[in-house]
Amino acid sequence: MINPEYNGTHSWLLEYISKCKTKEILIGHELMEELDILYSHFSNPDITIDFTDAHKRIKFIETRCKHFEAPFAGKPFILMLFQKAFIEAIYIFKIYDDEVGRLVRLHQDILYLVSRKNGKTPLISAICLAEFFCGQQGIKILCSSNDYEQADLMFQAINAMREESPALEKVTRKNIKGIYFGNPRKPKKKGKFSYKNKGSIRKISAKTGAKEGRNIGVGAVDEVHEMKDDTSIMPIRQALSTQDEPLFFELTTEGVVNDGYLDDRLKEARQVLDGDLHRPRWLIWLQTQDNEQEIWQDEKTWVKSNPGLGVIKKWSFMRKMIEEAKLSKSKRVFVLSKDFNIKQNNVTAWLTTEDIDNKETFDIEEFRNAFGIGGVDLSKTGDLCSARAMLMKPKSDKKYFLQHYFIPESKLGNLPKEDRELYRQWVRDGLMTLSDGNENDFRLVTKWFYNLYRNYGIRFYNTGYDKWSAVYWVKEMEEDYGFDTKKVDQSFGSMSEPMKLLEADLKSNKVIYNNNPIDRYCLENTAITANSKEEIMPIKIQGKENKKIDGAVTMMICYRIYIDHKLEFLELVKRMG
């Protein structure tokens, strides 16, 4: 049992370590590795333990700062044990610096990884505000993020806490540029709270220019998981280089950006925790799970990545997220990365075999004189060219697909060996048409749509197309044959909603694709990629870049047209009855 008292002073960090060691508080092994390092500091003769700065800031936060958002708005900012331990870990360890000639804070860089809605932004905002008031005179603090809106969240959190406290508000002022000492209504002529104190709190984003040349004492970068590289990080770190005791915060959840800045940063952090890399000035506080299996098997383990669960974050919310994640791969990506800090890569398929497996078929005669939605994924030379018609019946939400594929004849010989015979069989079965030479002949695509109209009376409400190589094909479709067309970009904003609805319909057996083997092949090869807005789009599975997903893409293009014009299209479908 670890004694939480150190030389007559109660240590929140020692209390936290003790409760984690006895499993009264559950944490992941990565945080335990850091706590072991911190515990060793208490017996290190080269490190001085001084609680003054830490407890001064803890007291400031709990007595001066108030929450500003529901359901805690207006209430005092009472820190949880893990938050007090975190603050102590930042401030209590001192080492002698020969260059400065005195004791300085050991930790200068802080990496704080915790799941969403566990109060990370309010906590770091409160620490920044405490540093503004409790730190040295003239300190400059900079809030940053990947975009201006996210940087503003931290800045507004700091300002809201400032405004909630009359004592803080009366000695400071805020304008469009930032927060400063000195209140014009109640001016002080001298001292830390006067205009002579040139300290400030400001905000920038990764898109803000001229970051070089700044001189700051504290830099806090929020949601670093969105950053692809360190171009927006390094100028801030360099701006801290003149300080005796700089503080650089990186706070984030896990992300969905592959091979981004956070991936490299976490790789280094884990090398430090494992003892393979020496970074003694770096505090690495990772609230992570030990594995994915424990998430599904034991909800008690959720606190490892969600230390605020039950106080800040609701158990009911987490249970709801887990149930949704069980039913949707796209939802699972976000729940595992955002709620449990488990990195999600594009290494697994979007759909299971059960999702794709639908043997139901139909006869095209069932849709004679029907209205449909068209979709094409055009490729001049490389991938498959996919053409598709989506049809529906009155009083049914099932989607029926007619499809055809095209490929240049010269490309058959360049296919991977395992795919070559498949493609040749699809050509023999009449599911795929060869174009002479090295390029797809888009006239054959147009002819396929026209034949559906001529032979079966199928009229197209609209036909969606991706923008690649489509100029002359669109002209032919619209001017020569009278079809309406609409461009559907293959982007997050355009593809996310259709991909989610298509997934739900596939899982509910509402997508009837006539058991087409090429459709099945394309669906099996499709993975998802995501952005920070919880938008998704299709991508090839990592390691299977030579496989094709064009058939899945045209399904989503049809769904995009359907979603945008649902009422009009369903009214036309109703006339079939």
Side-chain angles (χ1 to χ4, degrees):
M1 187 73 175
I2 296 173
N3 185 358
E5 300 295 319
Y6 184 86
N7 290 342
T9 301
H10 183 86
S11 170
W12 303 111
L13 178 57
L14 287 175
E15 180 184 343
Y16 185 65
I17 294 173
S18 176
K19 290 185 176 181
C20 291
K21 288 288 186 182
T22 59
K23 298 192 181 329
E24 182 180 343
I25 296 175
L26 291 182
I27 61 171
H29 77 277
E30 291 180 324
L31 182 55
M32 186 63 80
E33 286 180 325
E34 178 63 27
L35 295 183
D36 287 339
I37 294 171
L38 296 175
Y39 185 56
S40 71
H41 291 345
F42 285 91
S43 57
N44 188 335
D46 294 326
I47 295 178
T48 299
I49 310 298
D50 184 351
F51 293 96
T52 306
D53 290 341
H55 289 189
K56 183 177 183 180
R57 284 154 180 79
I58 290 172
K59 182 179 179 181
F60 174 89
I61 292 171
E62 294 197 320
T63 59
R64 297 297 185 185
C65 297
K66 292 184 179 180
H67 291 287
F68 55 94
E69 291 182 327
F72 305 109
K75 296 180 181 178
F77 199 132
I78 303 302
L79 296 164
M80 295 179 67
L81 177 59
F82 82 92
Q83 295 172 323
K84 293 179 181 180
F86 176 67
I87 294 172
E88 276 196 7
I90 297 170
Y91 287 101
I92 68 174
F93 302 111
K94 312 285 186 178
I95 59 171
Y96 187 83
D97 190 310
D98 291 328
E99 186 176 11
V100 177
R102 62 177 174 85
L103 288 173
V104 298
R105 189 183 349 94
L106 170 65
H107 292 126
Q108 296 182 347
D109 295 344
I110 294 93
L111 175 60
Y112 183 38
L113 177 77
V114 67
S115 298
R116 63 177 172 178
K117 303 303 179 185
N118 278 277
K120 68 179 183 303
T121 299
L123 175 61
I124 303 302
S125 300
I127 294 173
C128 287
L129 188 59
E131 194 64 28
F132 191 53
F133 278 87
C134 302
Q136 63 182 332
Q137 183 166 325
I139 192 168
K140 294 185 177 180
I141 299 171
L142 198 59
C143 306
S144 179
S145 190
N146 198 49
D147 58 58
Y148 197 76
E149 182 178 350
Q150 187 65 42
D152 189 56
L153 287 179
M154 184 182 294
F155 178 82
Q156 293 300 337
I158 294 172
N159 184 56
M161 292 180 197
R162 179 192 69 90
E163 290 180 333
E164 284 290 329
S165 172
L168 305 184
E169 198 272 339
K170 74 178 183 180
V171 295
T172 53
R173 68 188 190 278
K174 173 187 172 290
N175 58 33
I176 195 171
K177 292 183 178 181
I179 299 170
Y180 305 88
F181 281 109
N183 189 321
R185 297 191 301 272
K186 299 177 182 179
K188 293 182 179 290
K189 293 183 179 180
K190 59 182 181 179
K192 186 172 184 177
F193 301 141
S194 71
Y195 275 79
K196 291 181 179 180
N197 185 347
K198 301 303 180 183
S200 65
I201 304 175
R202 303 183 68 178
K203 58 188 172 183
I204 62 169
S205 75
K207 301 177 178 65
T208 306
K211 288 186 279 285
E212 289 82 358
R214 300 178 185 270
N215 183 13
I216 60 175
V218 179
V221 185
D222 201 358
E223 303 296 10
V224 296
H225 67 83
E226 297 178 3
M227 298 177 179
K228 295 182 179 179
D229 53 44
D230 64 357
T231 54
S232 60
I233 294 285
M234 290 312 296
I236 296 173
R237 298 193 71 180
Q238 290 162 2
L240 293 161
S241 62
T242 64
Q243 302 296 313
D244 292 342
E245 297 186 79
L247 260 180
F248 177 61
F249 290 98
E250 294 173 294
L251 56 151
T252 188
T253 62
E254 252 299 2
V256 290
V257 175
N258 291 320
D259 300 319
Y261 171 76
L262 182 59
D263 289 337
D264 293 336
R265 196 70 166 147
L266 286 175
K267 182 180 179 181
E268 289 185 359
R270 284 163 178 145
Q271 288 176 327
V272 173
L273 294 177
D274 292 338
D276 298 328
L277 192 63
H278 188 58
R279 295 281 192 276
R281 311 302 295 271
W282 194 9
L283 176 62
I284 300 165
W285 197 279
L286 308 182
Q287 302 270 185
T288 54
Q289 300 290 142
D290 289 323
N291 55 67
E292 182 180 333
Q293 290 70 31
E294 66 181 1
I295 296 170
W296 310 105
Q297 296 170 359
D298 186 2
E299 69 173 33
K300 294 185 182 70
T301 66
W302 296 352
V303 296
K304 293 181 180 181
S305 52
N306 294 272
L309 197 55
V311 178
I312 303 172
K313 193 172 185 177
K314 299 286 188 183
W315 280 97
S316 57
F317 171 82
M318 291 291 287
R319 291 177 182 127
K320 176 184 175 184
M321 290 296 99
I322 284 292
E323 289 306 311
E324 292 181 9
K326 290 177 181 177
L327 300 176
S328 167
K329 180 62 182 291
S330 58
K331 178 65 72 174
R332 187 156 61 250
V333 167
F334 289 103
V335 170
L336 291 179
S337 62
K338 296 297 186 181
D339 288 310
F340 295 101
N341 283 331
I342 294 180
K343 176 70 176 181
Q344 298 297 290
N345 294 309
N346 301 316
V347 294
T348 58
W350 167 45
L351 301 164
T352 66
T353 301
E354 291 75 18
D355 297 334
I356 299 169
D357 191 23
N358 189 330
K359 300 293 197 300
E360 184 176 347
T361 60
F362 64 94
D363 191 324
I364 191 173
E365 286 290 346
E366 298 176 36
F367 292 95
R368 182 170 288 278
N369 299 321
F371 283 94
I373 290 174
V376 295
D377 185 10
L378 300 169
S379 176
K380 196 74 173 177
T381 59
D383 294 339
L384 282 176
C385 178
S386 172
R388 182 173 305 277
M390 188 179 88
L391 306 161
M392 295 183 69
K393 295 180 178 180
K395 300 179 181 180
S396 171
D397 57 356
K398 287 186 176 182
K399 283 82 174 177
Y400 297 81
F401 284 117
L402 299 171
Q403 61 287 99
H404 200 77
Y405 292 85
F406 308 82
I407 191 171
E409 187 174 16
S410 64
K411 295 299 177 181
L412 281 179
N414 297 329
L415 290 170
K417 185 177 180 180
E418 66 270 18
D419 285 346
R420 201 174 303 149
E421 184 51 41
L422 270 179
Y423 277 63
R424 286 172 177 162
Q425 184 61 49
W426 292 337
V427 172
R428 289 192 291 268
D429 291 342
L431 305 176
M432 182 182 293
T433 297
L434 294 178
S435 295
D436 294 334
N438 297 316
E439 296 184 359
N440 275 313
D441 185 351
F442 293 159
R443 292 175 298 179
L444 297 176
V445 178
T446 308
K447 185 178 179 181
W448 183 78
F449 280 103
Y450 177 68
N451 284 339
L452 287 178
Y453 170 69
R454 185 184 64 180
N455 298 333
Y456 300 99
I458 295 175
R459 292 156 288 179
F460 287 90
Y461 172 78
N462 214 319
T463 298
Y465 65 94
D466 68 321
K467 59 185 177 182
W468 178 251
S469 304
V471 176
Y472 295 108
W473 179 80
V474 169
K475 183 178 180 181
E476 181 183 50
M477 286 282 284
E478 293 183 346
E479 296 183 8
D480 296 349
Y481 289 89
F483 288 105
D484 290 327
T485 63
K486 182 178 180 180
K487 184 170 74 172
V488 177
D489 291 335
Q490 292 189 33
S491 62
F492 285 110
S494 182
M495 301 299 280
S496 182
E497 193 177 4
M499 192 174 188
K500 291 176 181 177
L501 181 56
L502 175 59
E503 178 185 353
D505 281 353
L506 283 164
K507 289 178 180 294
S508 303
N509 292 318
K510 293 179 180 178
V511 177
I512 317 302
Y513 57 90
N514 256 351
N515 201 24
N516 184 284
I518 315 180
D519 277 5
R520 178 186 296 273
Y521 169 85
C522 291
L523 290 169
E524 288 172 346
N525 295 330
T526 305
I528 60 175
T529 185
N531 64 12
S532 60
K533 298 178 182 177
E534 300 196 8
E535 295 173 332
I536 62 173
M537 62 180 291
I539 192 173
K540 295 178 181 179
I541 296 174
Q542 283 185 358
K544 295 186 177 182
E545 285 76 12
N546 57 353
K547 302 293 185 180
K548 312 301 179 185
I549 65 171
D550 306 70
V553 171
T554 52
M555 287 185 181
M556 295 172 206
I557 289 174
C558 288
Y559 266 69
R560 178 75 270 169
I561 301 295
Y562 170 74
I563 291 169
D564 291 344
H565 305 281
K566 182 177 179 179
L567 292 178
E568 301 98 308
F569 178 66
L570 291 181
E571 186 61 34
L572 294 174
V573 171
K574 192 184 300 183
R575 296 179 188 177
M576 287 177 55

